[in-house]
């Protein structure tokens, strides 16, 4: 099953590599990973999308908790949660493709943030599944390049990850 | 104002460090200069950095102190890595200080530069790169705290050379807190009550004790618990000494080379109390086979990630082994389980015991390695601190030298590092002056750190080396015999040195013992008239002796091969 693991850790040199190193050393898979400082600049928050059985997920959270730099670990899949990912797509925007790209962007509630004679850059945010669906909906030959941030997430309501 | 090097040494003095094992080099010259100027800390010059870390590790295992090693950058640092990984796998508290090239040179492929923090990351509990002289004192404080608290482990402090020359005011922090590091000590009372209830009702109980009991100095509480219950128990390889070997409740070591009674009891029990053990593959064999039998498992461990990692646990108790055992004793109260409750179980155990799975024959013309270990036990009164290397001799030492106390048995259990025996003995000798220290080894293992005979000479360490010389890489050969059609690929030790002459060349006493009747006199001589010398005893043993019982890799605990099966 797919899980988003949220990690609150010291914003120190090497902290991210401890987390990445743990995943590779113990053969856990990383589907995506993002990291940035929080509102408290001494802390960073990492969101990792991973897959595994319940046993593997239990080990992942326990092993992460063991890292000296890590303060809190939560598996967002354990309760109601929100998930968002940001994607930028550069598509061919010539002739009929130009209209089609604009239409699809509106349907998916994305926005076009760069326009040139031959291409658009579309910005789209949403769950990873929604971004996948958008890629699916586009004519494959019109896609010039894509970049995605990987998913990040928060627990709904009173579920809070804080130091 | 003090220099970084001066501050570092002052910090180590504040931590009550008495011995540092190390090897100088360019990046640590400032530190060595400060060592030279003081008296409190004694530096032990090894002959290879790997041995410095092993010696610090042996120092820690045989005492309750944090071991300290000091190495230079680059090759000094990489040579230390095997020692660090060895300590990591067995959760041994050590602090390794490595020099680093000057801050400005980091990343420039400077002479003797290596990314020590990067290289050691997977095999340390934590590591630090100190980039500011003001950070030295707080970092050393944190390093010692992290190394010895919670599940202990090695901590590396990498210090660039320029940082050891910069100056700042010195103040050693007395108190500090780390918001991200707060190991749990006390177990959950509700869980401990559940465990007590399960234990009180057990009809076929078994207690499995691992290295956690030794590391947390839990022997006293463990002894009270086991004797109060009157239940059978077993020390794993790392738990040896936690509970005395000569007690009838002790069924002997479990696992790949465990006794029949121990392995059968662990497999067939209805309640298993696992204490500070991680259910390693050498202890329980195939986890699927192990889980095939219904039993309730209670697991006490300070590391939550050790619980339910390889074996599903019914009653997990996270906490320091000693604290939890003490509370478990309280929860069990005065009442003992009636003897009749476990009478049937003890009868079964008696039958398994009657198999005498450790018996062997000592012929008149060949020295059996087991016999040497038994005689060694006799002559040292079972009181020696015994270190080993890795292989057959290690298993025979574990099986035949009955340990009555903890911290007398020093072996590389997790990583299985050949070459640790002699440096461990050095560390133990420094930590326990006046004690008898024996290194049981093989002719292959001893050559992996043989250069330390020179260190032992310099410091007049009266270590006794018992080399069980079978002219083979014995354990590998045993596997080749049993599983590879006796094709002894590269396990023949050709061109062995004359160990007697070698020992003498280093200034020690050497002996070669070739006949069974000479074993006892040689040992008596070594521990008698040569009490104060390092004696290298080269026992020429039966070449093809095997370690039994044996659970082959991937097999279950009950699928043992016994000596008589072959």
């Amino acid at each position: 099953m797919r899980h988003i693991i949220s990690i609150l850790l010291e914003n120190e040199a090497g902290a991210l590599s401890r987390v990445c190193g743990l995943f590779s050393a113990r053969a856990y898979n990383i589907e995506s990973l993002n990291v940035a400082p929080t509102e408290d600049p001494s802390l960073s928050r990492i969101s990792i999308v991973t897959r595994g059985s319940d046993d593997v997920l239990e080990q992942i959270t326990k092993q992460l908790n063991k890292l000296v730099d890590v303060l809190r670990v939560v598996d967002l899949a354990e309760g109601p949660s929100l998930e968002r990912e940001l994607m930028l797509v550069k598509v061919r925007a010539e002739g009929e493709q130009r209209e089609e790209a604009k239409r699809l962007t509106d349907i998916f509630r994305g926005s076009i943030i760069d326009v040139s004679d031959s291409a658009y850059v579309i910005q789209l945010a949403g769950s990873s599944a929604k971004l996948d669906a958008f890629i699916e909906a586009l004519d494959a030959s019109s896609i010039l390049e894509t970049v995605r941030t990987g998913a990040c997430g928060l627990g709904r309501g009173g579920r809070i990850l804080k130091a | 104002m003090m220099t970084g090097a001066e501050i570092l040494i002052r910090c180590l003095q504040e931590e009550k460090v008495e011995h540092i094992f190390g090897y100088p080099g360019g990046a640590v010259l400032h530190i060595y200069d400060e060592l030279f100027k003081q008296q409190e800390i004694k530096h032990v010059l090894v002959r290879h950095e790997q041995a410095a870390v092993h010696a610090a590790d042996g120092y820690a295992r045989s005492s309750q102190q944090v071991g300290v090693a000091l190495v230079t950058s680059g090759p000094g640092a990489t040579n230390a890595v095997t020692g660090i990984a060895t300590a990591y796998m067995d959760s041994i508290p050590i602090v390794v200080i490595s020099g680093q090239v000057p801050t400005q040179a980091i990343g420039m492929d400077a002479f003797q530069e290596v990314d020590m923090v990067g290289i050691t990351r997977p095999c340390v509990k934590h590591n630090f790169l100190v980039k500011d002289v003001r950070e030295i004192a707080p970092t050393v404080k944190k390093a010692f705290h992290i190394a010895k608290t919670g599940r202990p482990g090695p901590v590396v402090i990498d210090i660039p050379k320029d940082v050891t020359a910069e100056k700042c005011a010195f103040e050693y922090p007395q108190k500090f807190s780390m918001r991200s590091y707060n190991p749990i000590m006390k177990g959950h009372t509700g869980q401990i009550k559940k465990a007590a209830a399960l234990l009180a009702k057990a009809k076929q109980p078994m207690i499995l004790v691992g290295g956690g009991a030794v590391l947390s100095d839990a022997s006293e509480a463990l002894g009270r618990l086991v004797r109060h219950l009157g239940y059978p128990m077993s020390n794993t390889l790392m738990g040896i000494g936690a509970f005395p070997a000569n007690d009838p409740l002790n069924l002997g070591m479990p696992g790949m080379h465990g006794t029949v009674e121990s392995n059968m009891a662990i497999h067939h029990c209805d309640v298993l109390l696992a204490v500070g053990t991680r259910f390693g593959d050498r202890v329980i064999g195939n986890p699927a086979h192990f889980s095939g039998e219904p039993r309730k498992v209670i697991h006490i461990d300070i590391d939550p990630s050790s619980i339910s990692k390889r074996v599903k646990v019914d009653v997990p108790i996270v906490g320091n082994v000693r604290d939890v055992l003490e509370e478990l004793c309280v929860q069990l109260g005065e009442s003992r389980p009636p003897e009749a409750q476990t009478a049937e179980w003890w009868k079964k155990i008696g039958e398994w015991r009657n198999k005498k799975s450790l018996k062997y024959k000592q012929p008149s013309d060949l020295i059996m390695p087991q016999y040497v270990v038994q005689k060694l036990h006799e002559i040292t009164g079972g009181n020696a601190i015994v270190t080993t290397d890795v292989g057959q001799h290690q298993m025979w030492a574990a099986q035949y030298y009955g340990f009555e106390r903890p911290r007398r048995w020093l072996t590389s259990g997790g990583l299985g590092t050949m070459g640790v025996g002699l440096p461990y003995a050095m560390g133990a000798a420094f930590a326990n002056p006046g004690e008898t220290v024996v290194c049981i080894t093989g002719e292959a293992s001893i050559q992996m750190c043989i250069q330390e005979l020179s260190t032992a000479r310099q410091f007049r360490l009266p270590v006794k080396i018992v080399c069980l010389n079978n002219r083979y890489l014995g354990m590998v050969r045993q596997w080749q015999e049993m599983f590879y059609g006796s094709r002894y690929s590269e396990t023949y030790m050709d061109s062995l040195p004359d160990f007697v002459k070698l020992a003498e060349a280093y200034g020690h006493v050497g002996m070669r013992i070739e006949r069974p009747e000479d074993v006892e006199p040689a040992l008596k001589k070594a521990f008698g008239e040569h009490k104060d010398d390092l004696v290298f005893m080269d026992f020429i043993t039966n070449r093809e002796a095997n370690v039994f019982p044996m659970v082959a890799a991937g097999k279950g605990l009950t699928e043992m091969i016994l000596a008589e099966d072959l």
Side-chain angles (χ1 to χ4, degrees), chain B residues 116-193:
Chain B
M116 184 57 164
V117 165
I119 281 182
T120 58
R121 196 174 291 123
C123 60
V124 292
K125 185 167 171 189
H126 199 60
N127 58 18
F128 297 94
L129 172 63
V130 184
K131 285 187 163 168
D132 183 329
V133 66
R134 288 164 301 182
E135 282 303 311
I136 290 180
T139 302
V140 174
K141 182 82 185 173
K142 277 186 206 167
F144 276 80
H145 178 71
I146 292 168
K148 66 189 173 191
T149 54
R151 179 177 180 173
V155 178
V156 167
I157 309 176
D158 197 35
I159 314 181
K161 187 174 185 180
D162 56 321
V163 176
T164 61
E166 281 162 20
K167 287 184 173 181
C168 76
F170 171 64
E171 191 193 355
Y172 199 57
Q174 290 311 313
K175 268 195 177 168
F176 76 101
S177 69
M178 290 177 73
R179 59 182 172 180
S180 62
Y181 178 73
N182 297 294
I184 299 163
M185 296 299 278
K186 297 275 176 210
H188 188 277
T189 305
Q191 292 293 91
I192 296 175
K193 279 186 179 159

Side-chain angles (χ1 to χ4, degrees), chain A residues 84-88 122-127 131 147-152:
Chain A
R84 287 294 180 272
E85 182 176 356
L86 177 71
M87 173 169 67
L88 303 179
I122 303 163
Q123 167 189 301
L124 188 63
S127 70
L131 306 193
V147 59
R148 298 170 69 152
T149 58
C152 64

Side-chain angles (χ1 to χ4, degrees), chain B residues 54 100 108 539:
Chain B
H54 289 327
Q100 183 53 278
M108 297 294 174
F539 290 95

Side-chain angles (χ1 to χ4, degrees), chain A residues 9 18 48 51 81 91 98 108 116 145 147:
Chain A
L9 76 171
R18 288 181 210 281
I48 293 182
R51 279 176 198 279
S81 62
V91 294
R98 201 168 175 94
F108 278 82
S116 68
E145 61 175 315
V147 59

Side-chain angles (χ1 to χ4, degrees), chain B residues 31 101 206 251 292 299 332 339 355 358 378 398 424 438 493 510 547:
Chain B
I31 301 172
V101 300
M206 180 64 182
L251 306 188
H299 190 180
L332 282 164
E339 273 179 35
K355 294 224 173 214
L358 292 182
E378 260 177 60
Y424 274 3
V438 182
M493 286 300 277
V547 182

